[in-house]
Amino acid sequence: MKEKIKTILLCASTAMLAVSLYSTFSLKNSFENRIGLMENNLSNDISTLESQINNISSDVRTSLEESTNIISSCDYNVKKIDTDKATASIEVAVIPKEYTHQTKAEVFLSDTKYDTVFENGKFICNFEMPLFESKTITNISLLNGEKTENQQFDLSVSPSSGSMPYIYGDFSGSYNINKNKNDNTVYSLDGSINIDVNFDQENNMENKFDIYAVSGGKTLYSDTFELDSSETYYCHGYAQIKQDFETDKNSSLDFYAVLKDKYGFYYVYKIDSASFNGNNSSDSDTAEAVEVTNTVNIYNKNGKLVHEINNY
């Protein structure tokens, strides 16, 4: 009987020890998990605090920079374009943060000083510059009696920026060459010309374009076709051509597209060029394609070249 009681007590003690060990192990894991969670929370709090400090520092720097500015805004508008001279009339408007009836302003455009007049809360200056060039407003001065304050700028004034189109055209079809009884070269064309025009800003092209075939300085062909301008930033033209063109012996044949914008400028793009391949022994041959530079020449209404656009 005593032996059974000892056995029972021993088993009970063992069980209680196991439970105690399990509880201790569980408490240890729980405590370690809590410590880990606290460390993670503390790390996150530190990162958040660092980010807030950096933002505060950035905000302070921005506020300090803004507080040193004497100008609220400065911008420009193109008031008029002279197509004959290829110039633009520019108006610059400056709004100061503070001013009195004694305040005067000066605008420096690429180191050239322009005086201003005060109108409707703005200092206004006007000047003329080449349409296809860029200049920079580098500084604005506010003068109050003997006191002069300056604010540096880096504002590019570019009248034609964003308004120049990207023009691309090509000929799709076949050239055949024959020599007539006068030994002149005859190009037989059967194909189509496609014109694509893209704009960064609003489409300013007229809704038609001209195609010219030129050889040896002489115009052999010209016709007008429709330019689809229904989209804001894109227009497309198509011309079907099936015709023979007689040129001087072994002369090349060049095709040009001419487009006109609402300002009166003409855009001349060389679409394609073909030349006789030099085989004079036969009565017929094929034309060789000539590499065409992807350049658009811009002319005013008087035929003066005013600018070139490289479409590469």
Side-chain angles (χ1 to χ4, degrees):
M1 185 65 178
K2 291 182 178 181
E3 292 297 328
K4 289 183 178 181
I5 291 173
K6 288 181 179 180
T7 301
I8 292 171
L9 291 174
L10 179 61
C11 291
S13 298
T14 303
M16 291 177 65
L17 178 61
V19 170
S20 176
L21 290 173
Y22 177 77
S23 298
T24 301
F25 180 75
S26 298
L27 286 172
K28 180 182 178 183
N29 284 343
S30 177
F31 182 72
E32 289 177 347
N33 289 338
R34 288 176 180 273
I35 292 294
L37 181 61
M38 290 173 65
E39 288 177 346
N40 289 335
N41 289 338
L42 181 60
S43 177
N44 291 335
D45 290 341
I46 291 173
S47 296
T48 301
L49 183 59
E50 289 176 344
S51 177
Q52 290 174 347
I53 290 173
N54 289 333
N55 289 337
I56 290 172
S57 177
S58 177
D59 291 342
V60 168
R61 285 195 300 270
T62 301
S63 297
L64 287 173
E65 290 172 356
E66 291 178 351
S67 66
T68 60
N69 291 344
I70 61 174
I71 305 300
S72 292
S73 69
C74 176
D75 55 23
Y76 74 92
N77 290 306
V78 179
K79 304 296 289 184
K80 183 181 178 182
I81 291 177
D82 188 325
T83 56
D84 291 339
K85 298 190 296 181
T87 58
S89 297
I90 307 295
E91 179 185 270
V92 176
V94 178
I95 300 178
K97 283 190 173 181
E98 297 178 357
Y99 62 94
T100 68
H101 67 280
Q102 296 179 336
T103 305
K104 297 180 180 179
E106 297 173 340
V107 175
F108 290 83
L109 183 75
S110 299
D111 298 327
T112 300
K113 184 182 74 173
Y114 292 90
D115 294 326
T116 65
V117 294
F118 191 74
E119 297 177 356
N120 301 319
K122 300 178 182 179
F123 287 104
I124 304 294
C125 77
N126 293 276
F127 56 87
E128 188 176 80
M129 64 176 289
L131 176 61
F132 300 105
E133 293 183 10
S134 296
K135 294 188 177 183
T136 303
I137 295 177
T138 55
N139 186 76
I140 296 176
S141 298
L142 293 184
L143 297 81
N144 287 283
E146 296 181 356
K147 181 182 178 182
T148 300
E149 296 179 284
N150 296 289
Q151 183 173 330
Q152 293 184 344
F153 272 83
D154 187 19
L155 176 61
S156 176
V157 180
S158 181
S160 63
S161 176
S163 63
M164 292 294 97
Y166 177 91
I167 301 174
Y168 177 77
D170 63 12
F171 171 80
S172 177
S174 62
Y175 287 94
N176 286 313
I177 293 180
N178 292 286
K179 291 183 294 183
N180 62 15
K181 61 182 180 180
N182 297 322
D183 205 27
N184 289 337
T185 303
V186 179
Y187 291 86
S188 298
L189 258 71
D190 186 3
S192 61
I193 289 175
N194 291 276
I195 297 292
D196 294 294
V197 187
N198 291 280
F199 304 87
D200 291 332
Q201 298 180 4
E202 187 175 354
N203 178 0
N204 59 15
M205 287 293 178
E206 292 188 351
N207 59 356
K208 61 182 179 180
F209 69 101
D210 297 321
I211 295 294
Y212 291 86
V214 179
S215 179
K218 297 182 293 185
T219 299
L220 306 182
Y221 167 90
S222 67
D223 204 350
T224 301
F225 300 89
E226 180 183 354
L227 191 66
D228 182 2
S229 302
S230 58
E231 297 187 28
T232 304
Y233 303 106
Y234 170 76
C235 54
H236 174 75
Y238 172 85
Q240 184 73 35
I241 297 178
K242 186 175 183 180
Q243 189 167 327
D244 294 340
F245 300 94
E246 181 179 346
T247 69
D248 294 337
K249 183 178 178 180
N250 298 341
S251 294
S252 62
L253 179 66
D254 302 322
F255 279 90
Y256 294 87
V258 179
L259 302 89
K260 183 182 178 183
D261 68 16
K262 64 180 182 181
Y263 301 111
F265 288 111
Y266 293 85
Y267 298 79
V268 179
Y269 177 80
K270 191 174 185 178
I271 299 170
D272 203 54
S273 182
S275 66
F276 187 63
N277 66 8
N279 184 358
N280 295 319
S281 60
S282 63
D283 292 332
S284 64
D285 213 321
T286 58
E288 288 185 340
V290 179
E291 184 177 356
V292 177
T293 58
N294 200 10
T295 301
V296 179
N297 292 326
I298 304 177
Y299 297 84
N300 65 15
K301 64 182 181 181
N302 299 319
K304 179 183 176 182
L305 178 65
V306 295
H307 190 58
E308 293 182 358
I309 304 175
N310 192 332
N311 276 337
Y312 286 110

